[in-house]
Amino acid sequence: MKRKIKKIGVITSGGDAPGMNAALRAVVRACSYYKVECTGFYRGYQGMIEGDFIDLSARSVKNIIGKGGTILKSARSDEFRTKAGRKKAYKNLKQLNIDALVLIGGDGTFMGGVTFGKEYEIPFVGIPGTIDNDIAGTNFTIGYDTALNTVVESIDKVRDTASSHNRLFFVEVMGRDAGFIALNAGVGAGAEEILLPEEDLGLDRLLESLQKSKQRGKSSSIVVVSEGDKIGKNVFELAEYVTDNLPEYEVRVSVLGHMQRGGSPSCFDRVLASRMGVKAVESVLEGETDIMVGLIKDKIIISNIEEAIKSSHDINRELLRISDILSV
Ligand code: F6P
């Protein structure tokens, strides 16, 4: 017989994302609504290992729905990757009478949960929170929409100075293994070229396209580069390569960096986080485990978390074609 869930533990883990606080609020308040206790662990799995926690009530999460970052703080715990680390974490969970876990984070967080769930009997549910949007089982992850808007706004600003000086800018955006931010922000900001981890467009094609842009009378250009782009050169090497081969271009580089992870979450992310947080708690109370919540075609659904990690969430390649047509 399934054990009755009386107390849920929650973490935010991995790279932080705008909307994690909104998700935490939803988890804590849903627990309160269903009369279940809720304990938050600081710095993700590391707090579980160290027994660094806080008991959370509905009032503990007041005024955080619009706050960037995560009040529970986040970390990528190396210790949790070890058997000894996970043993310590489990011991603390038992001591605190935690019956189930809600894990807010990306694929690294989910993998940690799956490994832990195989070693110890503790039900868990994942809430996808990462700006990368690189998780299967959901159309959108929490934080992605906000990050996209931050990036588009930033590229618009870069465009102003690029156009004033007739320059070519390489703008590097986040996404080590996934080009969602680069592709969508690239189209949204009207970039001339978009370089992604998923697609090797090649250096020749880049030069050719930039040459064409000049011939067509463009005085300035923006190339959006995902930090893990397939060409394999970093953004500074790319800029040098273009300067060497197309001396008619005055080239500059802008690396947007961690500002993409900050800021107040968009309304979309707040609503998504609220829906996912409630569903996560309800699912765990219904006896579900090893699942993640997701948004598919505007419906909040649950799916097997291990399958989600193993599958890939593909970019929409049609957007590359759209970008090509529109950068004529
Ligand atoms: O996974 C989110 C992310 O922001 C990636 O886009 C980026 O590659 C990585 O985290 C950066 O990690 P860190 O903050 O540890 O430098």
Side-chain angles (χ1 to χ4, degrees), residues 273-316:
S274 301
R275 294 175 75 184
M276 285 182 167
V278 170
K279 182 71 175 181
V281 171
E282 287 177 340
S283 303
V284 114
L285 294 182
E286 279 160 16
E288 298 285 354
T289 182
D290 297 57
I291 52 151
M292 62 168 271
V293 294
L295 182 79
I296 303 281
K297 293 187 186 154
D298 203 35
K299 286 223 154 29
I300 296 288
I301 51 104
I302 57 170
S303 57
N304 179 276
I305 200 164
E306 207 172 346
E307 272 166 31
I309 299 169
K310 283 187 194 148
S311 327
S312 67
H313 184 192
D314 290 331
I315 52 162
N316 179 359

mmCIF file of all heavy atoms in Angstrom, residues 273-316:
data_model
loop_
_atom_site.group_PDB
_atom_site.id
_atom_site.type_symbol
_atom_site.label_atom_id
_atom_site.label_comp_id
_atom_site.label_asym_id
_atom_site.label_seq_id
_atom_site.Cartn_x
_atom_site.Cartn_y
_atom_site.Cartn_z
ATOM 1 N N ALA A 273 4.619 28.456 -14.344
ATOM 2 C CA ALA A 273 5.163 27.970 -13.062
ATOM 3 C C ALA A 273 4.032 27.670 -12.075
ATOM 4 O O ALA A 273 4.083 26.676 -11.348
ATOM 5 C CB ALA A 273 6.111 29.019 -12.485
ATOM 6 N N SER A 274 3.020 28.522 -12.070
ATOM 7 C CA SER A 274 1.896 28.319 -11.148
ATOM 8 C C SER A 274 1.139 27.033 -11.491
ATOM 9 O O SER A 274 0.821 26.220 -10.616
ATOM 10 C CB SER A 274 0.930 29.510 -11.212
ATOM 11 O OG SER A 274 1.618 30.700 -10.884
ATOM 12 N N ARG A 275 0.901 26.835 -12.775
ATOM 13 C CA ARG A 275 0.172 25.632 -13.200
ATOM 14 C C ARG A 275 0.987 24.367 -12.909
ATOM 15 O O ARG A 275 0.467 23.359 -12.420
ATOM 16 C CB ARG A 275 -0.135 25.704 -14.707
ATOM 17 C CG ARG A 275 -1.096 26.815 -15.073
ATOM 18 C CD ARG A 275 -1.268 26.904 -16.591
ATOM 19 N NE ARG A 275 -2.092 25.838 -17.133
ATOM 20 C CZ ARG A 275 -2.312 25.664 -18.440
ATOM 21 N NH1 ARG A 275 -1.758 26.484 -19.314
ATOM 22 N NH2 ARG A 275 -3.071 24.680 -18.870
ATOM 23 N N MET A 276 2.282 24.450 -13.223
ATOM 24 C CA MET A 276 3.134 23.264 -13.036
ATOM 25 C C MET A 276 3.317 22.929 -11.555
ATOM 26 O O MET A 276 3.342 21.760 -11.173
ATOM 27 C CB MET A 276 4.499 23.493 -13.687
ATOM 28 C CG MET A 276 4.487 23.394 -15.200
ATOM 29 S SD MET A 276 6.147 23.609 -15.873
ATOM 30 C CE MET A 276 5.899 23.063 -17.566
ATOM 31 N N GLY A 277 3.442 23.970 -10.731
ATOM 32 C CA GLY A 277 3.640 23.740 -9.296
ATOM 33 C C GLY A 277 2.451 23.024 -8.671
ATOM 34 O O GLY A 277 2.602 22.065 -7.906
ATOM 35 N N VAL A 278 1.256 23.478 -9.028
ATOM 36 C CA VAL A 278 0.035 22.852 -8.483
ATOM 37 C C VAL A 278 -0.065 21.401 -8.972
ATOM 38 O O VAL A 278 -0.315 20.471 -8.204
ATOM 39 C CB VAL A 278 -1.227 23.666 -8.870
ATOM 40 C CG1 VAL A 278 -2.495 22.894 -8.529
ATOM 41 C CG2 VAL A 278 -1.217 25.022 -8.156
ATOM 42 N N LYS A 279 0.189 21.220 -10.272
ATOM 43 C CA LYS A 279 0.080 19.857 -10.837
ATOM 44 C C LYS A 279 1.093 18.911 -10.192
ATOM 45 O O LYS A 279 0.788 17.729 -9.942
ATOM 46 C CB LYS A 279 0.303 19.916 -12.359
ATOM 47 C CG LYS A 279 0.164 18.598 -13.066
ATOM 48 C CD LYS A 279 -1.276 18.133 -13.114
ATOM 49 C CE LYS A 279 -1.436 16.858 -13.922
ATOM 50 N NZ LYS A 279 -2.835 16.426 -13.971
ATOM 51 N N ALA A 280 2.290 19.419 -9.916
ATOM 52 C CA ALA A 280 3.334 18.579 -9.314
ATOM 53 C C ALA A 280 2.865 18.060 -7.954
ATOM 54 O O ALA A 280 2.960 16.864 -7.667
ATOM 55 C CB ALA A 280 4.623 19.380 -9.164
ATOM 56 N N VAL A 281 2.321 18.945 -7.139
ATOM 57 C CA VAL A 281 1.862 18.537 -5.807
ATOM 58 C C VAL A 281 0.666 17.582 -5.927
ATOM 59 O O VAL A 281 0.630 16.528 -5.278
ATOM 60 C CB VAL A 281 1.503 19.778 -4.948
ATOM 61 C CG1 VAL A 281 0.822 19.363 -3.647
ATOM 62 C CG2 VAL A 281 2.758 20.591 -4.659
ATOM 63 N N GLU A 282 -0.272 17.926 -6.778
ATOM 64 C CA GLU A 282 -1.455 17.063 -6.922
ATOM 65 C C GLU A 282 -1.058 15.664 -7.410
ATOM 66 O O GLU A 282 -1.581 14.666 -6.936
ATOM 67 C CB GLU A 282 -2.463 17.705 -7.886
ATOM 68 C CG GLU A 282 -3.160 18.905 -7.247
ATOM 69 C CD GLU A 282 -4.127 19.628 -8.172
ATOM 70 O OE1 GLU A 282 -4.019 19.468 -9.409
ATOM 71 O OE2 GLU A 282 -4.989 20.381 -7.648
ATOM 72 N N SER A 283 -0.094 15.612 -8.329
ATOM 73 C CA SER A 283 0.332 14.311 -8.870
ATOM 74 C C SER A 283 0.959 13.451 -7.784
ATOM 75 O O SER A 283 0.674 12.255 -7.671
ATOM 76 C CB SER A 283 1.351 14.501 -10.000
ATOM 77 O OG SER A 283 0.811 15.311 -10.998
ATOM 78 N N VAL A 284 1.834 14.071 -7.008
ATOM 79 C CA VAL A 284 2.520 13.314 -5.965
ATOM 80 C C VAL A 284 1.500 12.835 -4.911
ATOM 81 O O VAL A 284 1.571 11.707 -4.416
ATOM 82 C CB VAL A 284 3.677 14.185 -5.404
ATOM 83 C CG1 VAL A 284 3.477 14.575 -3.979
ATOM 84 C CG2 VAL A 284 5.011 13.483 -5.579
ATOM 85 N N LEU A 285 0.505 13.648 -4.627
ATOM 86 C CA LEU A 285 -0.516 13.249 -3.647
ATOM 87 C C LEU A 285 -1.415 12.126 -4.195
ATOM 88 O O LEU A 285 -1.980 11.339 -3.456
ATOM 89 C CB LEU A 285 -1.391 14.444 -3.238
ATOM 90 C CG LEU A 285 -0.669 15.556 -2.460
ATOM 91 C CD1 LEU A 285 -1.637 16.664 -2.063
ATOM 92 C CD2 LEU A 285 0.028 15.004 -1.220
ATOM 93 N N GLU A 286 -1.498 12.082 -5.534
ATOM 94 C CA GLU A 286 -2.292 11.002 -6.154
ATOM 95 C C GLU A 286 -1.483 9.709 -6.269
ATOM 96 O O GLU A 286 -1.937 8.722 -6.813
ATOM 97 C CB GLU A 286 -2.749 11.434 -7.551
ATOM 98 C CG GLU A 286 -3.984 12.332 -7.516
ATOM 99 C CD GLU A 286 -4.149 13.151 -8.798
ATOM 100 O OE1 GLU A 286 -3.501 12.818 -9.818
ATOM 101 O OE2 GLU A 286 -4.909 14.136 -8.758
ATOM 102 N N GLY A 287 -0.235 9.740 -5.806
ATOM 103 C CA GLY A 287 0.576 8.521 -5.804
ATOM 104 C C GLY A 287 1.516 8.379 -6.987
ATOM 105 O O GLY A 287 2.128 7.338 -7.190
ATOM 106 N N GLU A 288 1.618 9.429 -7.811
ATOM 107 C CA GLU A 288 2.521 9.352 -8.964
ATOM 108 C C GLU A 288 3.970 9.495 -8.490
ATOM 109 O O GLU A 288 4.241 10.162 -7.494
ATOM 110 C CB GLU A 288 2.228 10.488 -9.953
ATOM 111 C CG GLU A 288 0.851 10.465 -10.566
ATOM 112 C CD GLU A 288 0.702 9.398 -11.643
ATOM 113 O OE1 GLU A 288 1.713 8.747 -11.994
ATOM 114 O OE2 GLU A 288 -0.431 9.194 -12.102
ATOM 115 N N THR A 289 4.881 8.895 -9.238
ATOM 116 C CA THR A 289 6.310 9.119 -8.969
ATOM 117 C C THR A 289 7.090 8.942 -10.264
ATOM 118 O O THR A 289 6.557 8.466 -11.257
ATOM 119 C CB THR A 289 6.852 8.168 -7.885
ATOM 120 O OG1 THR A 289 8.241 8.491 -7.672
ATOM 121 C CG2 THR A 289 6.744 6.702 -8.272
ATOM 122 N N ASP A 290 8.352 9.354 -10.262
ATOM 123 C CA ASP A 290 9.226 9.273 -11.444
ATOM 124 C C ASP A 290 8.624 9.995 -12.646
ATOM 125 O O ASP A 290 8.709 9.523 -13.774
ATOM 126 C CB ASP A 290 9.503 7.815 -11.840
ATOM 127 C CG ASP A 290 10.240 7.058 -10.769
ATOM 128 O OD1 ASP A 290 9.746 6.992 -9.632
ATOM 129 O OD2 ASP A 290 11.333 6.563 -11.049
ATOM 130 N N ILE A 291 8.005 11.113 -12.384
ATOM 131 C CA ILE A 291 7.345 11.836 -13.471
ATOM 132 C C ILE A 291 7.845 13.288 -13.517
ATOM 133 O O ILE A 291 8.450 13.780 -12.556
ATOM 134 C CB ILE A 291 5.809 11.882 -13.311
ATOM 135 C CG1 ILE A 291 5.440 12.407 -11.899
ATOM 136 C CG2 ILE A 291 5.182 10.537 -13.550
ATOM 137 C CD1 ILE A 291 4.136 13.121 -11.859
ATOM 138 N N MET A 292 7.577 13.911 -14.627
ATOM 139 C CA MET A 292 7.754 15.359 -14.699
ATOM 140 C C MET A 292 6.446 15.959 -15.174
ATOM 141 O O MET A 292 5.647 15.289 -15.836
ATOM 142 C CB MET A 292 8.889 15.764 -15.647
ATOM 143 C CG MET A 292 8.677 15.361 -17.077
ATOM 144 S SD MET A 292 9.833 16.126 -18.215
ATOM 145 C CE MET A 292 8.986 17.646 -18.654
ATOM 146 N N VAL A 293 6.227 17.217 -14.827
ATOM 147 C CA VAL A 293 5.055 17.897 -15.363
ATOM 148 C C VAL A 293 5.502 18.663 -16.612
ATOM 149 O O VAL A 293 6.665 19.039 -16.739
ATOM 150 C CB VAL A 293 4.412 18.860 -14.333
ATOM 151 C CG1 VAL A 293 3.842 18.087 -13.173
ATOM 152 C CG2 VAL A 293 5.389 19.895 -13.837
ATOM 153 N N GLY A 294 4.593 18.867 -17.528
ATOM 154 C CA GLY A 294 4.950 19.569 -18.757
ATOM 155 C C GLY A 294 3.743 20.287 -19.336
ATOM 156 O O GLY A 294 2.601 20.042 -18.910
ATOM 157 N N LEU A 295 4.011 21.149 -20.276
ATOM 158 C CA LEU A 295 2.930 21.845 -20.983
ATOM 159 C C LEU A 295 2.970 21.411 -22.435
ATOM 160 O O LEU A 295 3.941 21.689 -23.156
ATOM 161 C CB LEU A 295 3.135 23.365 -20.901
ATOM 162 C CG LEU A 295 2.036 24.192 -21.575
ATOM 163 C CD1 LEU A 295 0.802 24.293 -20.687
ATOM 164 C CD2 LEU A 295 2.532 25.598 -21.911
ATOM 165 N N ILE A 296 1.929 20.690 -22.847
ATOM 166 C CA ILE A 296 1.841 20.267 -24.242
ATOM 167 C C ILE A 296 0.513 20.778 -24.793
ATOM 168 O O ILE A 296 -0.555 20.456 -24.249
ATOM 169 C CB ILE A 296 1.916 18.716 -24.387
ATOM 170 C CG1 ILE A 296 3.202 18.152 -23.761
ATOM 171 C CG2 ILE A 296 1.758 18.287 -25.847
ATOM 172 C CD1 ILE A 296 4.473 18.279 -24.555
ATOM 173 N N LYS A 297 0.606 21.552 -25.863
ATOM 174 C CA LYS A 297 -0.593 22.135 -26.502
ATOM 175 C C LYS A 297 -1.497 22.798 -25.465
ATOM 176 O O LYS A 297 -2.702 22.527 -25.401
ATOM 177 C CB LYS A 297 -1.355 21.063 -27.292
ATOM 178 C CG LYS A 297 -0.590 20.571 -28.488
ATOM 179 C CD LYS A 297 -1.438 19.650 -29.322
ATOM 180 C CE LYS A 297 -0.607 19.046 -30.444
ATOM 181 N NZ LYS A 297 -1.105 17.773 -30.894
ATOM 182 N N ASP A 298 -0.918 23.582 -24.607
ATOM 183 C CA ASP A 298 -1.598 24.334 -23.550
ATOM 184 C C ASP A 298 -2.302 23.481 -22.495
ATOM 185 O O ASP A 298 -3.136 23.970 -21.742
ATOM 186 C CB ASP A 298 -2.566 25.384 -24.123
ATOM 187 C CG ASP A 298 -2.807 26.484 -23.083
ATOM 188 O OD1 ASP A 298 -1.850 26.805 -22.351
ATOM 189 O OD2 ASP A 298 -3.932 26.974 -22.955
ATOM 190 N N LYS A 299 -1.941 22.206 -22.433
ATOM 191 C CA LYS A 299 -2.484 21.347 -21.353
ATOM 192 C C LYS A 299 -1.327 20.939 -20.447
ATOM 193 O O LYS A 299 -0.256 20.563 -20.938
ATOM 194 C CB LYS A 299 -3.108 20.075 -21.941
ATOM 195 C CG LYS A 299 -4.412 20.282 -22.624
ATOM 196 C CD LYS A 299 -5.411 19.173 -22.246
ATOM 197 C CE LYS A 299 -6.850 19.575 -22.361
ATOM 198 N NZ LYS A 299 -7.177 20.575 -23.350
ATOM 199 N N ILE A 300 -1.562 21.004 -19.137
ATOM 200 C CA ILE A 300 -0.530 20.534 -18.213
ATOM 201 C C ILE A 300 -0.663 19.019 -18.099
ATOM 202 O O ILE A 300 -1.742 18.502 -17.762
ATOM 203 C CB ILE A 300 -0.668 21.199 -16.825
ATOM 204 C CG1 ILE A 300 -0.447 22.711 -16.930
ATOM 205 C CG2 ILE A 300 0.329 20.596 -15.831
ATOM 206 C CD1 ILE A 300 0.975 23.162 -17.179
ATOM 207 N N ILE A 301 0.431 18.332 -18.436
ATOM 208 C CA ILE A 301 0.390 16.866 -18.459
ATOM 209 C C ILE A 301 1.535 16.322 -17.585
ATOM 210 O O ILE A 301 2.420 17.069 -17.187
ATOM 211 C CB ILE A 301 0.540 16.326 -19.902
ATOM 212 C CG1 ILE A 301 1.783 16.958 -20.591
ATOM 213 C CG2 ILE A 301 -0.672 16.661 -20.739
ATOM 214 C CD1 ILE A 301 2.937 16.091 -20.705
ATOM 215 N N ILE A 302 1.513 15.022 -17.329
ATOM 216 C CA ILE A 302 2.668 14.400 -16.683
ATOM 217 C C ILE A 302 3.229 13.341 -17.620
ATOM 218 O O ILE A 302 2.503 12.780 -18.445
ATOM 219 C CB ILE A 302 2.307 13.765 -15.315
ATOM 220 C CG1 ILE A 302 1.196 12.734 -15.446
ATOM 221 C CG2 ILE A 302 1.960 14.822 -14.285
ATOM 222 C CD1 ILE A 302 0.959 11.915 -14.172
ATOM 223 N N SER A 303 4.549 13.116 -17.537
ATOM 224 C CA SER A 303 5.149 12.056 -18.341
ATOM 225 C C SER A 303 6.286 11.432 -17.551
ATOM 226 O O SER A 303 6.755 12.012 -16.572
ATOM 227 C CB SER A 303 5.651 12.607 -19.679
ATOM 228 O OG SER A 303 6.567 13.654 -19.437
ATOM 229 N N ASN A 304 6.729 10.252 -18.007
ATOM 230 C CA ASN A 304 7.815 9.565 -17.319
ATOM 231 C C ASN A 304 9.101 10.384 -17.434
ATOM 232 O O ASN A 304 9.505 10.764 -18.529
ATOM 233 C CB ASN A 304 7.992 8.174 -17.947
ATOM 234 C CG ASN A 304 9.111 7.418 -17.288
ATOM 235 O OD1 ASN A 304 10.275 7.578 -17.621
ATOM 236 N ND2 ASN A 304 8.746 6.601 -16.321
ATOM 237 N N ILE A 305 9.717 10.637 -16.315
ATOM 238 C CA ILE A 305 10.852 11.567 -16.313
ATOM 239 C C ILE A 305 12.083 10.971 -17.003
ATOM 240 O O ILE A 305 12.835 11.680 -17.673
ATOM 241 C CB ILE A 305 11.166 12.026 -14.862
ATOM 242 C CG1 ILE A 305 11.967 13.326 -14.867
ATOM 243 C CG2 ILE A 305 11.861 10.975 -14.053
ATOM 244 C CD1 ILE A 305 11.988 14.056 -13.540
ATOM 245 N N GLU A 306 12.268 9.663 -16.843
ATOM 246 C CA GLU A 306 13.460 9.046 -17.439
ATOM 247 C C GLU A 306 13.351 9.073 -18.966
ATOM 248 O O GLU A 306 14.323 9.354 -19.662
ATOM 249 C CB GLU A 306 13.587 7.613 -16.925
ATOM 250 C CG GLU A 306 15.030 7.162 -16.943
ATOM 251 C CD GLU A 306 15.235 5.824 -16.263
ATOM 252 O OE1 GLU A 306 14.332 5.345 -15.541
ATOM 253 O OE2 GLU A 306 16.328 5.268 -16.466
ATOM 254 N N GLU A 307 12.148 8.819 -19.459
ATOM 255 C CA GLU A 307 11.952 8.879 -20.914
ATOM 256 C C GLU A 307 12.176 10.300 -21.420
ATOM 257 O O GLU A 307 12.764 10.509 -22.484
ATOM 258 C CB GLU A 307 10.545 8.428 -21.272
ATOM 259 C CG GLU A 307 10.469 6.934 -21.479
ATOM 260 C CD GLU A 307 9.044 6.422 -21.497
ATOM 261 O OE1 GLU A 307 8.152 7.174 -21.931
ATOM 262 O OE2 GLU A 307 8.839 5.271 -21.054
ATOM 263 N N ALA A 308 11.725 11.266 -20.635
ATOM 264 C CA ALA A 308 11.900 12.668 -21.045
ATOM 265 C C ALA A 308 13.383 13.012 -21.139
ATOM 266 O O ALA A 308 13.828 13.682 -22.079
ATOM 267 C CB ALA A 308 11.202 13.587 -20.056
ATOM 268 N N ILE A 309 14.173 12.534 -20.186
ATOM 269 C CA ILE A 309 15.615 12.835 -20.207
ATOM 270 C C ILE A 309 16.281 12.193 -21.422
ATOM 271 O O ILE A 309 17.157 12.769 -22.048
ATOM 272 C CB ILE A 309 16.313 12.322 -18.916
ATOM 273 C CG1 ILE A 309 15.746 12.994 -17.675
ATOM 274 C CG2 ILE A 309 17.817 12.568 -18.972
ATOM 275 C CD1 ILE A 309 16.205 12.334 -16.384
ATOM 276 N N LYS A 310 15.835 10.951 -21.719
ATOM 277 C CA LYS A 310 16.463 10.221 -22.835
ATOM 278 C C LYS A 310 16.070 10.790 -24.195
ATOM 279 O O LYS A 310 16.824 10.679 -25.161
ATOM 280 C CB LYS A 310 16.067 8.737 -22.761
ATOM 281 C CG LYS A 310 16.842 7.985 -21.693
ATOM 282 C CD LYS A 310 16.528 6.499 -21.775
ATOM 283 C CE LYS A 310 17.005 5.793 -20.517
ATOM 284 N NZ LYS A 310 16.123 4.657 -20.188
ATOM 285 N N SER A 311 14.875 11.374 -24.276
ATOM 286 C CA SER A 311 14.442 11.902 -25.585
ATOM 287 C C SER A 311 14.992 13.311 -25.771
ATOM 288 O O SER A 311 15.404 13.951 -24.806
ATOM 289 C CB SER A 311 12.929 11.996 -25.670
ATOM 290 O OG SER A 311 12.335 10.987 -24.938
ATOM 291 N N SER A 312 14.968 13.753 -27.029
ATOM 292 C CA SER A 312 15.454 15.124 -27.217
ATOM 293 C C SER A 312 14.301 16.045 -27.608
ATOM 294 O O SER A 312 13.335 15.626 -28.255
ATOM 295 C CB SER A 312 16.554 15.164 -28.270
ATOM 296 O OG SER A 312 16.005 14.834 -29.500
ATOM 297 N N HIS A 313 14.411 17.265 -27.171
ATOM 298 C CA HIS A 313 13.419 18.278 -27.539
ATOM 299 C C HIS A 313 14.012 19.021 -28.725
ATOM 300 O O HIS A 313 15.024 19.717 -28.585
ATOM 301 C CB HIS A 313 13.198 19.210 -26.332
ATOM 302 C CG HIS A 313 12.129 20.227 -26.561
ATOM 303 N ND1 HIS A 313 11.931 21.288 -25.723
ATOM 304 C CD2 HIS A 313 11.186 20.347 -27.539
ATOM 305 C CE1 HIS A 313 10.916 22.015 -26.162
ATOM 306 N NE2 HIS A 313 10.459 21.467 -27.266
ATOM 307 N N ASP A 314 13.420 18.845 -29.881
ATOM 308 C CA ASP A 314 14.040 19.401 -31.093
ATOM 309 C C ASP A 314 13.638 20.838 -31.368
ATOM 310 O O ASP A 314 12.497 21.227 -31.133
ATOM 311 C CB ASP A 314 13.678 18.528 -32.300
ATOM 312 C CG ASP A 314 14.387 17.189 -32.222
ATOM 313 O OD1 ASP A 314 15.487 17.146 -31.641
ATOM 314 O OD2 ASP A 314 13.829 16.194 -32.721
ATOM 315 N N ILE A 315 14.600 21.575 -31.901
ATOM 316 C CA ILE A 315 14.302 22.939 -32.325
ATOM 317 C C ILE A 315 13.397 22.885 -33.560
ATOM 318 O O ILE A 315 13.332 21.863 -34.246
ATOM 319 C CB ILE A 315 15.587 23.722 -32.684
ATOM 320 C CG1 ILE A 315 16.427 22.930 -33.689
ATOM 321 C CG2 ILE A 315 16.379 24.099 -31.456
ATOM 322 C CD1 ILE A 315 17.430 23.751 -34.418
ATOM 323 N N ASN A 316 12.745 23.964 -33.831
ATOM 324 C CA ASN A 316 11.884 24.041 -35.014
ATOM 325 C C ASN A 316 12.725 24.538 -36.195
ATOM 326 O O ASN A 316 12.976 25.724 -36.351
ATOM 327 C CB ASN A 316 10.735 25.012 -34.706
ATOM 328 C CG ASN A 316 9.793 25.182 -35.874
ATOM 329 O OD1 ASN A 316 9.998 24.582 -36.934
ATOM 330 N ND2 ASN A 316 8.775 25.994 -35.678
#
